Coordinates of all heavy atoms in Angstrom, one line a residue:
M1255 N 21.3 2.9 4.5 CA 19.9 2.7 4.8 C 19.6 1.2 4.7 O 20.1 0.4 3.9 CB 19.0 3.4 3.7 CG 17.6 3.2 3.9 SD 16.7 4.2 2.7 CE 15.3 3.2 2.4
E1256 N 18.8 0.7 5.7 CA 18.5 -0.7 5.8 C 17.4 -1.1 4.7 O 16.5 -0.3 4.5 CB 18.0 -1.1 7.2 CG 19.2 -1.0 8.2 CD 18.7 -1.6 9.5 OE1 18.1 -2.6 9.5 OE2 19.1 -0.9 10.5
E1257 N 17.6 -2.2 4.2 CA 16.7 -2.7 3.1 C 15.3 -3.0 3.6 O 14.3 -2.8 2.9 CB 17.2 -3.9 2.4 CG 16.6 -4.2 1.1 CD 17.3 -5.3 0.4 OE1 18.5 -5.1 0.1 OE2 16.6 -6.3 0.0
N1258 N 15.1 -3.3 4.9 CA 13.8 -3.7 5.4 C 13.1 -2.6 6.1 O 12.1 -2.8 6.8 CB 13.9 -4.9 6.4 CG 14.8 -4.6 7.6 OD1 15.6 -3.7 7.6 ND2 14.6 -5.4 8.6
I1259 N 13.5 -1.3 5.8 CA 12.8 -0.1 6.4 C 12.2 0.6 5.2 O 12.8 0.8 4.2 CB 13.8 0.8 7.0 CG1 14.6 0.1 8.1 CG2 13.1 2.0 7.6 CD1 13.8 -0.4 9.3
V1260 N 10.9 0.9 5.4 CA 10.1 1.6 4.4 C 9.5 2.9 5.1 O 9.3 2.9 6.3 CB 9.0 0.8 3.7 CG1 9.5 -0.4 3.0 CG2 8.0 0.3 4.8
T1261 N 9.4 3.9 4.3 CA 8.8 5.2 4.8 C 7.4 5.4 4.1 O 7.4 5.4 2.9 CB 9.7 6.4 4.6 OG1 10.9 6.1 5.2 CG2 9.1 7.6 5.1
L1262 N 6.4 5.5 4.9 CA 5.0 5.8 4.4 C 4.6 7.2 4.8 O 5.0 7.7 5.9 CB 4.1 4.7 4.8 CG 4.4 3.3 4.5 CD1 3.3 2.4 5.0 CD2 4.5 3.1 3.0
V1263 N 3.7 7.8 4.1 CA 3.2 9.1 4.5 C 1.7 8.9 4.9 O 0.9 8.3 4.2 CB 3.2 10.1 3.3 CG1 2.6 11.4 3.7 CG2 4.7 10.2 2.8
D1264 N 1.4 9.4 6.1 CA 0.0 9.2 6.6 C -0.9 10.3 6.1 O -0.5 11.1 5.3 CB 0.0 9.1 8.1 CG 0.3 10.5 8.8 OD1 0.4 11.5 8.1 OD2 0.4 10.5 10.1
E1265 N -2.2 10.2 6.5 CA -3.2 11.2 6.0 C -2.9 12.6 6.3 O -3.4 13.6 5.7 CB -4.6 10.8 6.4 CG -4.8 10.8 7.9 CD -4.4 9.4 8.6 OE1 -4.0 8.5 7.9 OE2 -4.5 9.4 9.8
D1266 N -2.0 12.9 7.3 CA -1.7 14.2 7.7 C -0.4 14.7 7.0 O 0.1 15.8 7.3 CB -1.5 14.3 9.2 CG -2.7 14.0 10.0 OD1 -3.8 14.4 9.5 OD2 -2.6 13.4 11.1
G1267 N 0.2 13.9 6.1 CA 1.4 14.2 5.4 C 2.7 13.9 6.2 O 3.7 14.3 5.8
L1268 N 2.5 13.3 7.3 CA 3.7 12.9 8.1 C 4.4 11.6 7.6 O 3.7 10.7 7.3 CB 3.3 12.8 9.6 CG 2.7 14.0 10.3 CD1 2.2 13.7 11.7 CD2 3.7 15.1 10.3
E1269 N 5.7 11.6 7.6 CA 6.4 10.4 7.2 C 6.6 9.5 8.4 O 7.0 10.0 9.5 CB 7.8 10.8 6.6 CG 7.7 11.4 5.2 CD 9.0 11.6 4.6 OE1 10.0 11.3 5.2 OE2 9.0 12.0 3.4
I1270 N 6.3 8.3 8.2 CA 6.4 7.3 9.3 C 7.3 6.2 8.8 O 7.0 5.6 7.7 CB 5.1 6.8 9.8 CG1 4.2 7.9 10.2 CG2 5.2 5.7 10.9 CD1 2.7 7.5 10.5
Q1271 N 8.3 5.8 9.5 CA 9.1 4.7 9.1 C 8.6 3.4 9.7 O 8.2 3.3 10.9 CB 10.6 4.9 9.6 CG 11.3 6.0 8.8 CD 12.8 6.0 9.0 OE1 13.2 5.8 10.1 NE2 13.5 6.0 7.9
F1272 N 8.7 2.3 8.9 CA 8.2 1.0 9.3 C 9.3 0.0 9.0 O 10.0 0.1 8.0 CB 7.0 0.6 8.6 CG 5.7 1.4 8.9 CD1 5.4 2.6 8.2 CD2 4.8 0.9 9.8 CE1 4.3 3.3 8.5 CE2 3.7 1.6 10.1 CZ 3.4 2.8 9.5
E1273 N 9.4 -1.0 9.8 CA 10.2 -2.2 9.5 C 9.4 -3.2 8.9 O 8.3 -3.5 9.4 CB 10.9 -2.7 10.8 CG 11.8 -3.9 10.5 CD 12.5 -4.4 11.8 OE1 12.3 -3.9 12.9 OE2 13.3 -5.4 11.6
V1274 N 9.8 -3.8 7.9 CA 9.1 -5.0 7.2 C 9.4 -6.2 8.1 O 10.6 -6.7 8.1 CB 9.5 -5.2 5.8 CG1 8.8 -6.4 5.2 CG2 9.3 -3.9 5.0
I1275 N 8.5 -6.7 8.8 CA 8.7 -7.8 9.7 C 8.7 -9.1 8.9 O 9.5 -10.0 9.1 CB 7.5 -7.9 10.8 CG1 7.4 -6.6 11.6 CG2 7.7 -9.1 11.6 CD1 8.7 -6.3 12.4
M1276 N 7.8 -9.2 7.9 CA 7.8 -10.4 7.1 C 6.9 -10.1 5.9 O 6.1 -9.2 5.9 CB 7.3 -11.6 7.8 CG 5.8 -11.6 8.1 SD 5.2 -13.1 9.1 CE 5.7 -14.4 8.0
T1277 N 7.1 -10.9 4.8 CA 6.2 -10.9 3.7 C 5.6 -12.3 3.6 O 6.2 -13.3 4.1 CB 6.9 -10.5 2.4 OG1 7.9 -11.5 2.1 CG2 7.5 -9.1 2.5
L1278 N 4.4 -12.3 3.1 CA 3.7 -13.6 3.0 C 2.8 -13.6 1.8 O 2.5 -12.5 1.2 CB 3.0 -14.0 4.2 CG 1.9 -13.0 4.8 CD1 0.6 -13.4 4.2 CD2 1.9 -13.1 6.3
E1279 N 2.4 -14.8 1.4 CA 1.5 -14.9 0.2 C 0.2 -15.5 0.7 O 0.2 -16.4 1.5 CB 2.1 -15.8 -0.9 CG 1.2 -15.8 -2.1 CD 1.9 -16.6 -3.2 OE1 3.1 -16.5 -3.4 OE2 1.2 -17.4 -3.9
A1280 N -0.9 -14.8 0.3 CA -2.3 -15.3 0.6 C -3.1 -15.1 -0.6 O -3.2 -14.1 -1.2 CB -2.9 -14.6 1.8
Q1281 N -3.8 -16.2 -1.0 CA -4.7 -16.2 -2.2 C -4.0 -15.5 -3.4 O -4.5 -14.7 -4.0 CB -6.0 -15.5 -1.8 CG -6.7 -16.2 -0.7 CD -8.1 -15.6 -0.4 OE1 -8.3 -14.4 -0.6 NE2 -9.0 -16.5 0.0
E1282 N -2.7 -16.0 -3.6 CA -2.0 -15.6 -4.8 C -1.6 -14.1 -4.9 O -1.3 -13.6 -5.9 CB -2.7 -16.1 -6.1 CG -2.8 -17.6 -6.1 CD -3.5 -18.0 -7.4 OE1 -3.5 -17.3 -8.4 OE2 -3.9 -19.2 -7.4
K1283 N -1.6 -13.5 -3.7 CA -1.2 -12.1 -3.6 C -0.1 -12.0 -2.6 O -0.1 -12.8 -1.6 CB -2.4 -11.1 -3.3 CG -3.4 -11.1 -4.3 CD -4.6 -10.2 -3.9 CE -5.7 -10.2 -5.0 NZ -6.8 -9.4 -4.6
E1284 N 0.8 -11.0 -2.7 CA 1.9 -10.8 -1.8 C 1.5 -9.7 -0.7 O 0.9 -8.7 -1.1 CB 3.1 -10.3 -2.5 CG 3.8 -11.4 -3.3 CD 4.5 -12.5 -2.5 OE1 5.0 -12.2 -1.5 OE2 4.5 -13.6 -3.0
Y1285 N 1.8 -9.9 0.5 CA 1.5 -9.0 1.6 C 2.8 -8.7 2.4 O 3.7 -9.6 2.5 CB 0.4 -9.5 2.5 CG -0.9 -9.7 1.8 CD1 -1.2 -10.9 1.1 CD2 -1.8 -8.7 1.7 CE1 -2.4 -11.0 0.4 CE2 -3.0 -8.8 1.0 CZ -3.3 -10.0 0.4 OH -4.5 -10.1 -0.3
A1286 N 2.8 -7.6 3.0 CA 3.9 -7.2 3.9 C 3.3 -6.9 5.3 O 2.3 -6.2 5.4 CB 4.7 -6.0 3.4
I1287 N 4.0 -7.4 6.3 CA 3.6 -7.1 7.7 C 4.6 -6.0 8.2 O 5.8 -6.3 8.2 CB 3.7 -8.3 8.6 CG1 3.0 -9.5 8.0 CG2 3.2 -8.0 10.0 CD1 1.5 -9.4 7.8
L1288 N 4.1 -4.8 8.5 CA 5.0 -3.7 8.9 C 4.8 -3.3 10.3 O 3.6 -3.3 10.8 CB 4.6 -2.5 8.0 CG 4.7 -2.7 6.5 CD1 4.4 -1.4 5.8 CD2 6.0 -3.2 6.0
M1289 N 5.9 -3.0 11.0 CA 5.8 -2.5 12.4 C 6.4 -1.1 12.4 O 7.5 -0.9 11.9 CB 6.6 -3.5 13.3 CG 6.6 -3.2 14.7 SD 5.0 -3.6 15.5 CE 5.1 -5.4 15.6
P1290 N 5.7 -0.2 13.0 CA 6.2 1.2 13.1 C 7.5 1.2 13.9 O 7.6 0.5 14.9 CB 5.1 2.0 13.8 CG 3.9 1.1 13.9 CD 4.4 -0.3 13.7
L1291 N 8.5 2.0 13.5 CA 9.7 2.2 14.3 C 9.6 3.1 15.4 O 10.4 3.1 16.3 CB 10.9 2.7 13.3 CG 11.3 1.7 12.3 CD1 12.4 2.3 11.4 CD2 11.8 0.4 12.9
D1292 N 8.5 3.9 15.4 CA 8.3 4.9 16.5 C 8.0 4.2 17.8 O 7.0 3.4 17.9 CB 7.2 5.8 16.1 CG 6.9 6.9 17.1 OD1 7.6 7.0 18.1 OD2 6.0 7.7 16.9
E1293 N 8.8 4.4 18.8 CA 8.6 3.7 20.1 C 7.3 4.1 20.8 O 6.8 3.4 21.7 CB 9.8 3.9 21.0 CG 11.1 3.3 20.6 CD 11.8 4.3 19.6 OE1 11.6 5.5 19.7 OE2 12.6 3.8 18.8
N1294 N 6.7 5.2 20.4 CA 5.5 5.8 21.1 C 4.3 5.0 20.6 O 3.2 5.2 21.2 CB 5.4 7.3 20.8 CG 6.5 8.0 21.4 OD1 7.1 7.7 22.4 ND2 6.9 9.2 20.8
D1295 N 4.4 4.2 19.6 CA 3.3 3.5 19.0 C 2.9 2.3 20.0 O 3.7 2.0 20.8 CB 3.5 3.0 17.6 CG 2.2 2.8 16.8 OD1 1.2 2.6 17.5 OD2 2.3 2.9 15.6
D1296 N 1.8 1.8 19.8 CA 1.3 0.7 20.7 C 1.8 -0.7 20.2 O 1.2 -1.7 20.5 CB -0.2 0.7 20.8 CG -0.9 0.7 19.5 OD1 -0.3 0.5 18.5 OD2 -2.2 0.8 19.5
E1297 N 2.8 -0.7 19.3 CA 3.4 -2.0 18.8 C 2.4 -2.8 18.0 O 2.4 -4.0 18.0 CB 3.9 -2.8 20.0 CG 5.1 -2.3 20.7 CD 6.3 -2.1 19.7 OE1 6.6 -3.1 19.0 OE2 6.9 -1.0 19.7
E1298 N 1.5 -2.1 17.3 CA 0.5 -2.7 16.5 C 1.1 -2.9 15.1 O 1.6 -1.9 14.5 CB -0.8 -1.9 16.4 CG -1.8 -2.6 15.6 CD -3.1 -1.8 15.7 OE1 -3.4 -1.2 16.7 OE2 -3.8 -1.8 14.6
A1299 N 1.1 -4.1 14.5 CA 1.6 -4.3 13.2 C 0.5 -3.9 12.2 O -0.7 -4.0 12.5 CB 2.0 -5.8 13.0
Y1300 N 0.9 -3.6 11.0 CA 0.0 -3.2 9.9 C 0.3 -4.2 8.7 O 1.4 -4.6 8.5 CB 0.3 -1.8 9.5 CG 0.0 -0.8 10.5 CD1 1.0 -0.4 11.4 CD2 -1.3 -0.3 10.7 CE1 0.7 0.5 12.4 CE2 -1.6 0.7 11.7 CZ -0.6 1.1 12.5 OH -0.9 1.9 13.5
I1301 N -0.8 -4.5 8.0 CA -0.7 -5.4 6.9 C -1.0 -4.6 5.6 O -2.1 -3.9 5.6 CB -1.7 -6.6 7.0 CG1 -1.5 -7.4 8.3 CG2 -1.6 -7.5 5.8 CD1 -2.5 -8.4 8.5
F1302 N -0.2 -4.7 4.6 CA -0.3 -4.0 3.4 C -0.2 -5.0 2.2 O 0.6 -5.9 2.3 CB 0.7 -2.9 3.2 CG 0.5 -1.7 4.1 CD1 1.1 -1.7 5.3 CD2 -0.3 -0.7 3.7 CE1 0.9 -0.6 6.2 CE2 -0.5 0.4 4.5 CZ 0.1 0.5 5.8
R1303 N -0.9 -4.8 1.2 CA -0.8 -5.6 0.0 C 0.3 -5.0 -0.9 O 0.4 -3.8 -1.0 CB -2.1 -5.7 -0.8 CG -2.1 -6.6 -2.0 CD -3.4 -6.8 -2.7 NE -4.0 -5.5 -3.1 CZ -5.0 -4.9 -2.6 NH1 -5.7 -5.5 -1.7 NH2 -5.5 -3.8 -3.1
M1304 N 1.2 -5.9 -1.4 CA 2.2 -5.4 -2.3 C 1.8 -5.6 -3.7 O 1.5 -6.8 -4.1 CB 3.5 -6.2 -2.0 CG 4.1 -5.9 -0.6 SD 5.4 -7.1 0.0 CE 6.4 -7.2 -1.5
E1305 N 1.8 -4.6 -4.5 CA 1.4 -4.7 -5.9 C 2.6 -4.2 -6.8 O 3.1 -3.1 -6.6 CB 0.2 -3.8 -6.2 CG -1.0 -4.3 -5.5 CD -2.3 -3.5 -5.8 OE1 -2.2 -2.5 -6.5 OE2 -3.4 -3.9 -5.3
E1306 N 3.0 -5.1 -7.7 CA 4.1 -4.8 -8.6 C 3.6 -3.8 -9.7 O 2.5 -3.9 -10.3 CB 4.6 -6.1 -9.3 CG 5.8 -5.8 -10.1 CD 6.5 -7.1 -10.6 OE1 6.0 -8.2 -10.4 OE2 7.6 -7.0 -11.2
E1307 N 4.4 -2.7 -9.9 CA 4.0 -1.7 -10.8 C 4.8 -2.0 -12.1 O 5.6 -2.9 -12.3 CB 4.5 -0.3 -10.3 CG 3.7 0.0 -9.0 CD 4.0 1.4 -8.5 OE1 5.2 1.8 -8.6 OE2 3.1 2.0 -8.0
L1308 N 4.4 -1.2 -13.2 CA 5.0 -1.4 -14.5 C 6.5 -1.4 -14.5 O 7.1 -2.1 -15.3 CB 4.4 -0.4 -15.5 CG 2.9 -0.5 -15.7 CD1 2.4 0.6 -16.6 CD2 2.5 -1.9 -16.3
D1309 N 7.1 -0.6 -13.7 CA 8.6 -0.4 -13.7 C 9.3 -1.5 -12.9 O 10.5 -1.5 -12.7 CB 9.0 1.0 -13.2 CG 8.5 1.3 -11.8 OD1 7.9 0.3 -11.1 OD2 8.7 2.4 -11.3
G1310 N 8.5 -2.5 -12.4 CA 9.1 -3.6 -11.6 C 9.2 -3.3 -10.1 O 9.5 -4.1 -9.3
E1311 N 9.0 -2.0 -9.7 CA 9.0 -1.6 -8.3 C 7.6 -2.1 -7.7 O 6.7 -2.4 -8.4 CB 9.1 -0.1 -8.1 CG 10.4 0.4 -8.6 CD 11.6 0.0 -7.7 OE1 11.4 0.0 -6.5 OE2 12.6 -0.4 -8.3
Y1312 N 7.6 -2.1 -6.3 CA 6.4 -2.5 -5.7 C 5.8 -1.3 -5.0 O 6.5 -0.5 -4.4 CB 6.7 -3.6 -4.6 CG 6.8 -5.0 -5.2 CD1 8.0 -5.5 -5.7 CD2 5.7 -5.8 -5.4 CE1 8.1 -6.7 -6.3 CE2 5.8 -7.1 -6.0 CZ 7.0 -7.5 -6.4 OH 7.1 -8.7 -7.0
A1313 N 4.4 -1.3 -5.0 CA 3.7 -0.3 -4.3 C 3.1 -1.0 -3.1 O 2.7 -2.2 -3.2 CB 2.6 0.3 -5.1
I1314 N 3.0 -0.3 -2.0 CA 2.4 -0.9 -0.8 C 1.0 -0.3 -0.6 O 0.8 1.0 -0.5 CB 3.2 -0.6 0.5 CG1 4.6 -1.3 0.3 CG2 2.5 -1.1 1.7 CD1 5.5 -1.0 1.4
V1315 N -0.1 -1.1 -0.6 CA -1.4 -0.6 -0.7 C -2.2 -1.1 0.6 O -2.1 -2.3 0.9 CB -2.1 -1.2 -2.0 CG1 -3.6 -0.7 -2.1 CG2 -1.3 -0.9 -3.2
P1316 N -2.9 -0.2 1.2 CA -3.7 -0.6 2.4 C -4.8 -1.6 2.0 O -5.3 -1.5 0.9 CB -4.3 0.6 2.9 CG -3.7 1.8 2.2 CD -3.0 1.2 1.0
I1317 N -5.1 -2.5 2.9 CA -6.2 -3.5 2.6 C -7.5 -2.9 3.1 O -7.6 -2.5 4.3 CB -5.9 -4.8 3.3 CG1 -4.6 -5.5 2.8 CG2 -7.1 -5.8 3.1 CD1 -4.2 -6.7 3.5
E1318 N -8.5 -2.8 2.3 CA -9.7 -2.2 2.7 C -10.9 -3.2 2.7 O -11.9 -2.8 3.2 CB -10.1 -1.0 1.7 CG -9.1 0.1 1.7 CD -9.3 1.2 0.8 OE1 -10.3 1.2 0.0 OE2 -8.5 2.2 0.8
D1319 N -10.6 -4.4 2.3 CA -11.7 -5.4 2.3 C -11.5 -6.3 3.6 O -10.4 -6.9 3.8 CB -11.6 -6.3 1.1 CG -12.6 -7.4 1.0 OD1 -13.8 -7.1 0.8 OD2 -12.2 -8.5 1.2
D1320 N -12.5 -6.4 4.4 CA -12.4 -7.1 5.7 C -12.1 -8.6 5.4 O -11.3 -9.2 6.2 CB -13.7 -7.0 6.5 CG -13.9 -5.6 7.1 OD1 -12.9 -4.9 7.1 OD2 -15.1 -5.3 7.4
E1321 N -12.7 -9.2 4.4 CA -12.5 -10.6 4.2 C -11.0 -10.9 3.8 O -10.4 -11.8 4.2 CB -13.4 -11.1 3.1 CG -13.3 -12.6 2.9 CD -14.3 -13.1 1.8 OE1 -15.4 -12.4 1.6 OE2 -14.1 -14.2 1.3
E1322 N -10.5 -10.0 2.9 CA -9.1 -10.1 2.5 C -8.2 -10.0 3.7 O -7.3 -10.7 3.9 CB -8.8 -9.0 1.4 CG -7.4 -9.1 0.9 CD -7.1 -8.0 -0.1 OE1 -7.9 -7.1 -0.3 OE2 -5.9 -8.0 -0.6
Y1323 N -8.5 -9.0 4.6 CA -7.7 -8.8 5.8 C -7.7 -10.0 6.7 O -6.6 -10.5 7.1 CB -8.2 -7.5 6.5 CG -7.5 -7.3 7.8 CD1 -6.3 -6.5 7.8 CD2 -7.9 -7.7 9.0 CE1 -5.6 -6.3 8.9 CE2 -7.3 -7.5 10.2 CZ -6.1 -6.7 10.1 OH -5.4 -6.5 11.3
E1324 N -8.9 -10.6 6.9 CA -9.0 -11.7 7.7 C -8.2 -12.9 7.2 O -7.6 -13.7 7.9 CB -10.5 -12.1 8.0 CG -11.2 -11.1 8.8 CD -10.7 -10.9 10.2 OE1 -10.2 -11.8 10.8 OE2 -10.7 -9.7 10.7
N1325 N -8.2 -13.1 5.9 CA -7.5 -14.2 5.2 C -6.0 -14.0 5.5 O -5.3 -15.0 5.7 CB -7.8 -14.2 3.7 CG -9.2 -14.7 3.4 OD1 -9.8 -15.5 4.1 ND2 -9.7 -14.3 2.2
V1326 N -5.5 -12.8 5.3 CA -4.1 -12.6 5.6 C -3.7 -12.8 7.0 O -2.7 -13.5 7.3 CB -3.7 -11.2 5.1 CG1 -2.2 -10.9 5.4 CG2 -3.9 -11.0 3.6
V1327 N -4.5 -12.4 7.9 CA -4.3 -12.6 9.4 C -4.3 -14.1 9.7 O -3.4 -14.6 10.4 CB -5.4 -11.9 10.2 CG1 -5.3 -12.3 11.7 CG2 -5.2 -10.4 10.1
A1328 N -5.2 -14.9 9.1 CA -5.2 -16.3 9.3 C -3.9 -17.0 8.8 O -3.3 -17.8 9.5 CB -6.4 -16.9 8.6
V1329 N -3.4 -16.6 7.6 CA -2.2 -17.1 7.1 C -1.0 -16.7 8.0 O -0.2 -17.5 8.3 CB -1.9 -16.6 5.6 CG1 -0.5 -17.0 5.2 CG2 -2.9 -17.2 4.7
Y1330 N -1.0 -15.5 8.5 CA 0.1 -15.0 9.4 C 0.1 -15.9 10.7 O 1.1 -16.3 11.1 CB -0.2 -13.5 9.7 CG 0.8 -13.0 10.8 CD1 2.1 -12.7 10.5 CD2 0.3 -12.8 12.1 CE1 3.0 -12.2 11.4 CE2 1.2 -12.3 13.0 CZ 2.5 -12.0 12.7 OH 3.4 -11.6 13.7
H1331 N -1.1 -16.1 11.3 CA -1.1 -16.9 12.5 C -0.7 -18.3 12.3 O 0.0 -18.9 13.1 CB -2.6 -16.9 13.1 CG -2.9 -15.6 13.8 ND1 -2.2 -15.1 14.8 CD2 -3.9 -14.7 13.5 CE1 -2.7 -13.9 15.2 NE2 -3.7 -13.6 14.4
T1332 N -1.1 -18.9 11.1 CA -0.6 -20.2 10.8 C 0.9 -20.3 10.7 O 1.5 -21.2 11.2 CB -1.3 -20.7 9.4 OG1 -2.7 -20.7 9.6 CG2 -0.8 -22.1 9.1
L1333 N 1.5 -19.3 10.0 CA 3.0 -19.3 9.8 C 3.6 -19.1 11.2 O 4.6 -19.8 11.5 CB 3.4 -18.1 8.9 CG 3.1 -18.3 7.5 CD1 3.3 -17.0 6.7 CD2 3.8 -19.4 6.8
M1334 N 3.1 -18.3 12.1 CA 3.7 -18.1 13.4 C 3.6 -19.4 14.2 O 4.5 -19.7 15.0 CB 2.9 -17.0 14.1 CG 3.2 -15.6 13.6 SD 4.9 -15.1 13.7 CE 5.5 -15.4 12.1
Q1335 N 2.5 -20.1 14.1 CA 2.3 -21.4 14.8 C 3.3 -22.4 14.3 O 3.9 -23.1 15.1 CB 0.9 -21.9 14.7 CG -0.1 -21.1 15.5 CD -1.5 -21.5 15.2 OE1 -1.8 -22.1 14.2 NE2 -2.5 -21.1 16.1
E1336 N 3.5 -22.5 13.0 CA 4.5 -23.4 12.4 C 5.9 -23.1 12.9 O 6.7 -24.0 13.1 CB 4.4 -23.3 10.9 CG 3.2 -24.0 10.3 CD 3.1 -23.8 8.8 OE1 3.9 -23.2 8.2 OE2 2.1 -24.3 8.3
E1337 N 6.2 -21.8 13.1 CA 7.5 -21.4 13.6 C 7.7 -21.5 15.1 O 8.7 -21.3 15.6 CB 7.8 -19.9 13.1 CG 7.9 -19.7 11.6 CD 9.1 -20.4 11.0 OE1 10.2 -20.4 11.7 OE2 9.0 -20.9 9.9
G1338 N 6.5 -21.8 15.8 CA 6.6 -21.9 17.2 C 6.7 -20.6 17.9 O 7.1 -20.5 19.1
L1339 N 6.3 -19.5 17.2 CA 6.3 -18.2 17.8 C 5.0 -17.7 18.4 O 5.0 -16.6 18.9 CB 6.8 -17.2 16.7 CG 8.2 -17.5 16.1 CD1 8.4 -16.5 14.9 CD2 9.3 -17.4 17.1
E1340 N 4.0 -18.5 18.3 CA 2.7 -18.1 18.8 C 2.1 -19.1 19.7 O 2.3 -20.3 19.5 CB 1.8 -17.7 17.6 CG 0.6 -17.0 18.0 CD -0.2 -16.5 16.8 OE1 -1.0 -17.3 16.3 OE2 0.1 -15.4 16.3

């Protein structure tokens, strides 16, 4: 199993595999940019907040706050521009 592949369960109980494209930090929190492995998807990336749990593992949490989401997108675009990828 590849280390950069995670499986999430959607609201219908279906398991979906995602590749972790990158992780980044914004406003002292860690985020993961995930891309679905399913070729039928529209190639839209998803952003999740990574929260460390008591056992040292990380939970991936959806971002529900629009301002938080926009801040992460801005950091992502800045990083892509610095890398010359955008």
Side-chain angles (χ1 to χ4, degrees):
M1255 184 173 141
E1256 292 190 42
E1257 195 171 305
N1258 62 339
I1259 305 297
V1260 296
T1261 302
L1262 301 179
V1263 179
D1264 71 7
E1265 60 273 359
D1266 298 323
L1268 299 173
E1269 289 189 353
I1270 303 171
Q1271 288 195 314
F1272 291 86
E1273 180 178 2
V1274 179
I1275 301 301
M1276 71 181 303
T1277 59
L1278 57 91
E1279 186 175 316
Q1281 297 185 331
E1282 299 182 16
K1283 295 180 182 173
E1284 290 286 328
Y1285 296 90
I1287 312 295
L1288 306 181
M1289 185 73 76
L1291 290 180
D1292 183 359
E1293 297 85 27
N1294 297 330
D1295 205 334
D1296 56 6
E1297 291 299 311
E1298 183 176 327
Y1300 296 90
I1301 302 172
F1302 291 90
R1303 185 173 59 247
M1304 295 167 43
E1305 294 184 354
E1306 189 170 2
E1307 298 184 322
L1308 294 176
D1309 60 5
E1311 294 292 316
Y1312 280 90
I1314 298 177
V1315 181
I1317 298 173
E1318 296 178 0
D1319 179 71
D1320 289 342
E1321 184 177 340
E1322 181 181 7
Y1323 179 83
E1324 293 300 326
N1325 287 335
V1326 177
V1327 169
V1329 170
Y1330 173 76
H1331 285 300
T1332 300
L1333 290 171
M1334 289 298 99
Q1335 288 171 345
E1336 288 174 358
E1337 295 291 323
L1339 300 174
E1340 193 172 90

